[in-house]
Each structure stands twice: as C-alpha cells, then as structure tokens.
Amino acid sequence: MTDETDQRDVAGAIRALSNVDLARLRALARLRVRRLPGTDWADLLNEAIVRALDGTRLWPPEVPILAFLAGCMRSIEHDLRRRAALERTWREQDEPAGSIDPERAIAAAQALGAIVALFSGDATVLRIIEELGYGRSAAEICARHGLSRTDYASARKRLRRALLRLDT
C-alpha cells in the first residue's frame, strides 16, 4: 500500500466519523487541555487530525480511528506538558540579571557540537533538527525545504537510529 493510499484511508475514516464520535473527540480534547493552561481544545484536536493526515502519526488499520485520534491527543498533551516542565526548569535555573553559568554554556556547546558532528554529512537531518527546535510541524518542514514525505520520514529514521546508537 502506498503513502497516498494510506492518506486516503485516514482521510476517509475521519470523514466517516459520526456526530457522536466527533462529540467524544471534542470531550476528550477538553479533558486533555485542562492540564495545559493556554491551550485550546480545538487546537489539540486539530493537531491530532493534522498529524494523522500528514503521516507524522501512522494509523494502524486494526485500531479504530477514534481510539487512534484519542491516542494522538494523549501523546500531544504529554509532549506539551513535558516541554512546559522543561521550560519552567530552565527559567528557574536561570541566574538573575541574565548571567550565564559557564558550566552550562560549555555543556550546551559540547552537546551542540556533538550533534552537528554526528550529522555533518546529512544536511537534511540538520535542517529538520533546526526546524523542530522552532516547533515546526512535519508538513511545515517539508514545505519550507521542498522535502517529500518519504524524504522527511527517511531523515527522521536516520536521526532516530543515530541517537539510539549514541544512547547504547
């Protein structure tokens, strides 16, 4: 099955959702955003649908589309809460008057150097890392850099494999 066929299957399954299913998804989205101040439930639901449609999240056909989209929202919520916690930690660790901790600056520079060195021969992966750092979606990254979905997915796999090898 091709990616295009998969996309039509996902789009068709979403279009086939009943009003009751849509109401359930809206209710789930409302519950999820209660722990995410400043996030609108519609944004969460829309992001889950976008990720399903653009292939960022792959729908296993044996999983009901309602359960799949609920899982996407749970994953997005988890990621947003993790990011918010990291940002709080960074803000709390910042020194008054904007002074920079030399040890943290050295560690950050070394980590950045290691990542650039690891992917120095792969400009696509470096671009994706940079764009993800700006919070851009897969679709935005592909559009900005003229990447096909296959190119993007392949680069993400290379990135994931390299990072897993480093972690072992």
Side-chain angles (χ1 to χ4, degrees):
M1 199 169 359
T2 66
D3 287 343
E4 192 174 301
T5 304
D6 292 341
Q7 289 307 106
R8 283 195 300 256
D9 292 346
V10 171
I14 291 171
R15 274 193 301 275
L17 288 170
S18 69
N19 287 335
V20 172
D21 291 337
L22 292 171
R24 286 180 180 147
L25 285 171
R26 284 191 293 272
L28 282 169
R30 284 185 180 104
L31 286 172
R32 293 260 170 232
V33 299
R34 286 181 19 199
R35 295 193 288 179
L36 297 169
T39 303
D40 183 55
W41 69 267
D43 290 340
L44 180 64
L45 178 57
N46 288 336
E47 182 63 23
I49 291 170
V50 166
R51 290 183 185 190
L53 290 172
D54 74 7
T56 303
R57 293 290 306 258
L58 298 177
W59 174 45
E62 69 275 4
V63 174
I65 191 70
L66 189 66
F68 171 70
L69 291 172
C72 288
M73 286 191 292
R74 182 184 64 241
S75 176
I76 294 165
E77 176 212 355
H78 174 76
D79 187 47
L80 290 173
R81 282 191 301 117
R82 184 183 53 78
R83 284 184 189 179
L86 280 173
E87 288 173 6
R88 269 194 312 274
T89 301
W90 291 336
R91 279 194 305 269
E92 290 168 0
Q93 291 177 352
D94 282 346
E95 296 292 324
S99 64
I100 297 172
D101 178 13
E103 289 179 30
R104 285 180 57 203
I106 291 169
Q110 288 173 339
L112 182 59
I115 290 171
V116 170
L118 183 63
F119 298 106
S120 63
D122 197 334
T124 303
V125 170
L126 288 174
R127 275 186 253 141
I128 289 172
I129 291 169
E130 179 181 12
E131 296 293 335
L132 289 172
Y134 289 116
R136 294 198 174 93
S137 69
E140 290 172 318
I141 295 169
C142 289
R144 288 175 65 95
H145 297 286
L147 299 171
S148 70
R149 283 187 28 175
T150 304
D151 293 338
Y152 179 84
S154 297
R156 287 288 304 253
K157 286 177 185 173
R158 290 192 306 272
L159 171 63
R160 186 173 33 255
R161 283 187 210 121
L163 293 175
L164 286 173
R165 279 192 305 268
L166 279 179
D167 201 30
T168 57

